[in-house]
Amino acid sequence: MLFSILALATALFIVNSKNVFYSAVSLAFLGISVAVLIADINPAAYSLYSAFHLILYVGATVVFLSISLVMFRGLEVKEVKTPWAPSLAIVAAIAFFAVLVLSTSSITPSGTPEQLNLAVVGEKLISQYWFPTFILIVALLTTMIEALSLARRD
Amino acid sequence: MIVVDSALVVATLLIAIGIYGLLNSKNVIRVLLSSEIILNAAILLIFSMSALVGKSYTPLIFSVFAIGMALTEVVVAFASVILYYRQKGSLEVD
């Protein structure tokens, strides 16, 4: 409950803050809240991903964003008032939730979720999902090279 | 199941906030951060739905790919933002 409120509050702060640097820092709190919420769903199975989310998302992505934003001047956001934006967001949320409820109404909830084994995860990544893993490794390598070239450029 | 249901509600509200942020700003960084909110909501949704069905491995592996690609996407988007800032001298889009 606490982390649900924290997630929603930080998300609202991100979209309403006048300075995008503070928004980027708040994204770390959103990431932490989401990681806790995921672990809360099924601690035995999802705590591994929760740790991964904290390390890779909060530890790498958000820190990269926050540090990179220091390079810019004029981080204050000019307010653009789109009068129909809140109503469209509410309509989208209601429609999405209705679709979600309708699609899950036919699902019979399973009482016993699978127990997670780290060795099986590794085995699945290498054998069953080897191509996406390969693409991910290449993409992360490219990202590292890109970050280096960005840092070196005048 | 109450925990799963609250996670579904939080994910839906996060998507609504993300859409609001996308529509209500012309700042490139704010748009990027709003899309990150939607990404977090989507990942939370994947796990909530999987808990409902009782699967553990598929959402974990898919989310690992999603987070890895999100990291790549942020860096590529940021490179574009830096080039845009060097040309225009501002982070606001027309």
Side-chain angles (χ1 to χ4, degrees), chain A residues 14-15 17 23 41 46 49 53 56-57 65 68 73 80 82 88-89 96-97 104 109-110 114-115 117 143 146, chain B residues 12 16 23-24 30 33 36 40 45 47 49 51-57 60 63 67 71-72 75 78-79 85:
Chain A
I14 288 167
V15 295
S17 172
S23 298
I41 292 170
Y46 299 152
Y49 174 77
H53 193 88
L56 194 65
Y57 189 74
L65 258 176
S68 307
R73 270 174 293 172
V80 182
T82 315
L88 186 68
F96 182 76
F97 196 69
T104 53
S110 165
E114 287 176 305
Q115 287 301 305
N117 183 352
T143 304
E146 188 185 335
Chain B
T12 310
L23 295 172
N24 214 28
R30 173 77 64 81
L33 293 175
E36 291 296 314
N40 274 290
L45 204 62
F47 280 100
M49 297 294 280
L52 215 67
V53 183
K55 299 276 182 192
S56 294
Y57 287 104
L60 182 99
S63 301
I67 280 291
L71 175 60
T72 312
V75 177
F78 221 85
Y85 183 75

Side-chain angles (χ1 to χ4, degrees), chain B residues 30-48:
Chain B
R30 173 77 64 81
V31 170
L32 183 67
L33 293 175
S34 301
S35 66
E36 291 296 314
I37 295 175
I38 297 176
L39 172 91
N40 274 290
I43 289 173
L44 186 58
L45 204 62
I46 287 175
F47 280 100
S48 318

Side-chain angles (χ1 to χ4, degrees), chain B residues 48-94:
Chain B
S48 318
M49 297 294 280
S50 316
L52 215 67
V53 183
K55 299 276 182 192
S56 294
Y57 287 104
T58 317
L60 182 99
I61 289 168
F62 279 20
S63 301
V64 165
F65 291 137
I67 280 291
M69 283 300 166
L71 175 60
T72 312
E73 169 243 316
V74 164
V75 177
V76 172
F78 221 85
S80 313
V81 168
I82 288 171
L83 289 176
Y84 182 83
Y85 183 75
R86 278 182 187 150
Q87 285 188 349
K88 301 268 182 180
S90 164
L91 290 172
E92 306 290 320
V93 286
D94 299 325

Side-chain angles (χ1 to χ4, degrees), chain A residues 17-115:
Chain A
S17 172
K18 295 232 185 286
N19 191 313
V20 282
F21 178 74
Y22 296 131
S23 298
V25 173
S26 305
L27 193 64
F29 291 100
L30 177 66
I32 293 167
S33 309
V34 168
V36 173
L37 287 173
I38 289 169
D40 201 28
I41 292 170
N42 183 0
Y46 299 152
S47 50
L48 176 75
Y49 174 77
S50 190
F52 187 78
H53 193 88
L54 282 176
I55 293 166
L56 194 65
Y57 189 74
V58 179
T61 312
V62 177
V63 170
F64 170 80
L65 258 176
S66 309
I67 292 175
S68 307
L69 279 173
V70 178
M71 290 193 292
F72 297 106
R73 270 174 293 172
L75 290 173
E76 279 75 28
V77 179
K78 287 179 195 161
E79 280 301 308
V80 182
K81 288 288 170 202
T82 315
W84 42 267
S87 32
L88 186 68
I90 290 167
V91 168
I94 291 169
F96 182 76
F97 196 69
V99 170
L100 209 62
V101 169
L102 286 174
S103 58
T104 53
S105 60
S106 59
I107 296 174
T108 316
S110 165
T112 51
E114 287 176 305
Q115 287 301 305

